[in-house]
Amino acid sequence: MNPLRWVAASRRRLATATLVAYALAFAVAVPLAAHLRDVSASPIADFWVMTAWLGILAAGSLFLGVLLGDRLLPGRWRERVILGREVQLPGTDDDPALAMAVTKSYLLHFSALTVGALALSAMALEAVTGGFFAEYQRLGYARATLRGDDTAAKLATVERLSEVQREQNVRDSLALLRATWDDPAQPLEVRAASIRSLGRLGHSLVTSIDAWDNEGVKEHWEFDLVRELRSDLLPLWRERLATADPALAGPMALALGRYRDFDSAPALLARATTGPTGASPTWRQTVTALGLLHPLDILAPLGELATAATDPQDFTALAWAVGEPMRRLPLDQPPPPAFDRLIEAFGALAASGATPVHRCDAVYVLYKTRDARIVEPLLAAFDAQGADMECPTTHVDVSDRAPHVSAHGEPFRVRVLKALAVVAVGQPRVLEWARSRVDDASLSDVVRLELKQLVALTEAGAGQ
């Protein structure tokens, strides 16, 4: 038996079924919405529960549509179309309009009545539950997943939460991530991933503020949100740095850097100057955070650690962090006193560092100084033993989805010549040396080409 026809066989049955369906859908609305918001830990279970819930609402709307059609549509519509009965209406032979009416299904009219009933019912349900369905579309899947037991799904969800851009979505993601990172019941890797995602959102917010500043806009929702985070979340991270598990402390440090929380620089510097312990991710992340903040007062203390960073990855992070404040120093501003010691230390490493990474990244640091005093150390490095090696591409972890390239791979001597080119103009010593080496057959074609370009650059500068 067709269930709809059974229910529609009488108006009383239709009215009763409509009331029962609506009563059931609205009776469970508030407790069910609260359960799905606050308790449910399975998105799949949520799907089936909401499907059944909305199915009951749809059934009630369908019954209501039939009731309304029975009242509003002509020619004993319910009996003819829904129940499929043969109906004989008096007067059809004399009234062409009535004769036409009993042949029409009025499907479009019935559909409009049913859809209208469903739309109004859904709006009422949304109002009763405080906007549950709109909220679930934004947050429901992520919230349920993070309450579950599937660590891989949690990590994927945390990653997605860092990709949002609209204000409401950003606020929702921040709320979820803040609850997750500080929840001791969550796996450690999920908490660490949550901090990294918070850092990515922070970086997005801060760079948006930069863009608004450039356009002369001084207030926007990003400003308010960053102020809120700097007043409550970031101080908590600074406080926890000293005692947090290393798996969390490193991401915390990087996130502080990505938020440009300059108040955290002293704490980060204190942690960094304890010295690298050898292949230490947490130490590298702390040093990298200082590079993201790029205060000039990190140059001297970090420079003193150059020879202590024996692990190549540690040294790359250190070199990058030292290079960041250097490259931001205005050209018309006198170099800080720390440059003397930095040029001496990294100049020595460029000529005789323990690994190719040490030597190549030391040249990177000298290049970033843009200081004429790097000429002699670079010339010494160019002819030092092993100078015909290749520099590898090096990366630093700034909590992006892909590693941040610190320096691209190239021949060591080419890197040295590029660093010389930064300070070559107005340096007769560089021009004389480059001319003497430009036809050196012991050098590779690539290096000789770079030398020719250095000569041309220096000569052009000297002729001005």
Side-chain angles (χ1 to χ4, degrees), residues 114-439:
T114 303
V115 170
L118 182 59
L120 291 173
S121 302
M123 291 169 61
L125 197 62
E126 187 78 339
V128 167
T129 58
F132 167 77
F133 289 100
E135 177 189 309
Y136 194 91
Q137 283 186 315
R138 300 192 317 269
L139 286 170
Y141 181 89
R143 198 160 44 195
T145 300
L146 291 173
R147 284 196 291 258
D149 298 323
D150 188 339
T151 299
K154 290 183 180 185
L155 291 172
T157 298
V158 165
E159 176 80 13
R160 285 193 296 271
L161 288 173
S162 69
E163 298 171 355
V164 297
Q165 294 182 332
R166 295 181 182 274
E167 178 182 2
Q168 186 59 60
N169 293 336
V170 171
R171 290 184 179 276
D172 291 340
S173 291
L174 286 171
L176 276 178
L177 291 169
R178 291 182 65 172
T180 302
W181 87 263
D182 204 22
D183 181 0
Q186 294 285 0
L188 200 59
E189 60 265 42
V190 174
R191 297 177 65 190
S194 298
I195 297 172
R196 287 194 293 272
S197 288
L198 283 166
R200 290 183 195 128
L201 285 173
H203 177 72
S204 176
L205 291 169
V206 170
T207 52
S208 293
I209 288 173
D210 290 342
W212 287 120
D213 275 337
N214 291 337
E215 295 182 14
V217 177
K218 299 302 179 184
E219 283 300 328
H220 204 258
W221 64 267
E222 291 97 337
F223 291 79
D224 295 333
L225 199 48
V226 169
R227 278 194 289 266
E228 291 172 20
L229 292 165
R230 284 176 173 165
S231 68
D232 53 16
L233 176 62
L234 305 193
L236 179 61
W237 279 347
R238 289 199 297 270
E239 179 186 336
R240 298 274 187 92
L241 266 179
T243 57
D245 187 288
L248 301 181
M252 275 183 201
L254 274 178
L256 289 169
R258 304 207 81 179
Y259 276 95
R260 292 189 204 153
D261 182 49
F262 297 106
D263 291 340
S264 67
L268 292 170
L269 187 58
R271 289 177 60 84
T273 50
T274 58
T277 57
S280 168
T282 303
W283 185 86
R284 287 198 296 272
Q285 290 167 319
T286 303
V287 168
T288 303
L290 287 168
L292 292 168
L293 295 174
H294 50 80
L296 285 173
D297 56 6
I298 70 171
L299 293 177
L302 289 189
E304 293 302 321
L305 297 175
T307 56
T310 55
D311 178 77
Q313 287 182 295
D314 288 351
F315 188 80
T316 292
L318 177 68
W320 184 83
V322 169
E324 284 301 285
M326 286 178 170
R327 74 180 182 87
R328 288 176 168 83
L329 188 69
L331 289 172
D332 58 354
Q333 182 175 326
F339 270 35
D340 289 332
R341 174 60 184 146
L342 287 171
I343 291 171
E344 177 187 354
F346 286 94
L349 287 167
S352 58
T355 69
V357 168
H358 284 77
R359 295 181 66 179
C360 294
D361 283 354
V363 174
Y364 163 91
V365 172
L366 296 176
Y367 164 80
K368 293 295 182 183
T369 66
R370 299 168 294 173
D371 191 298
R373 289 171 288 180
I374 67 175
V375 169
E376 294 304 327
L378 287 173
L379 295 182
F382 187 90
D383 287 318
Q385 184 176 2
D388 56 349
M389 66 182 173
E390 288 285 323
C391 289
T393 297
T394 50
H395 306 85
V396 292
D397 174 17
V398 295
S399 273
D400 276 330
R401 290 168 186 80
H404 177 79
V405 175
S406 170
H408 291 281
E410 59 191 340
F412 175 74
R413 285 193 168 109
V414 169
R415 184 171 295 189
V416 170
L417 293 173
K418 287 180 178 178
L420 280 170
V422 175
V423 296
V425 174
Q427 295 285 334
R429 170 83 168 98
V430 175
L431 180 57
E432 177 185 356
W433 175 84
R435 282 173 174 167
S436 71
R437 303 301 298 274
V438 75
D439 294 320

Side-chain angles (χ1 to χ4, degrees), residues 38-119:
D38 305 325
V39 179
S40 174
S42 171
I44 296 175
D46 289 357
F47 170 79
W48 289 113
V49 168
M50 287 191 292
T51 297
W53 186 14
L54 293 176
I56 293 170
L57 190 72
S61 300
L62 176 62
F63 298 149
L64 181 58
V66 175
L67 266 179
L68 294 173
D70 186 43
R71 289 293 185 184
L72 301 175
L73 300 178
R76 294 167 64 180
W77 172 84
R78 174 176 61 88
E79 296 176 60
R80 287 189 304 104
V81 177
I82 301 300
L83 299 180
R85 295 173 181 171
E86 291 287 341
V87 173
Q88 296 294 329
L89 295 179
T92 55
D93 293 336
D94 302 325
D95 187 345
L98 184 58
M100 180 66 69
V102 299
T103 65
K104 294 174 66 174
S105 67
Y106 294 98
L107 181 60
L108 183 61
H109 302 74
F110 168 62
S111 298
L113 290 172
T114 303
V115 170
L118 182 59

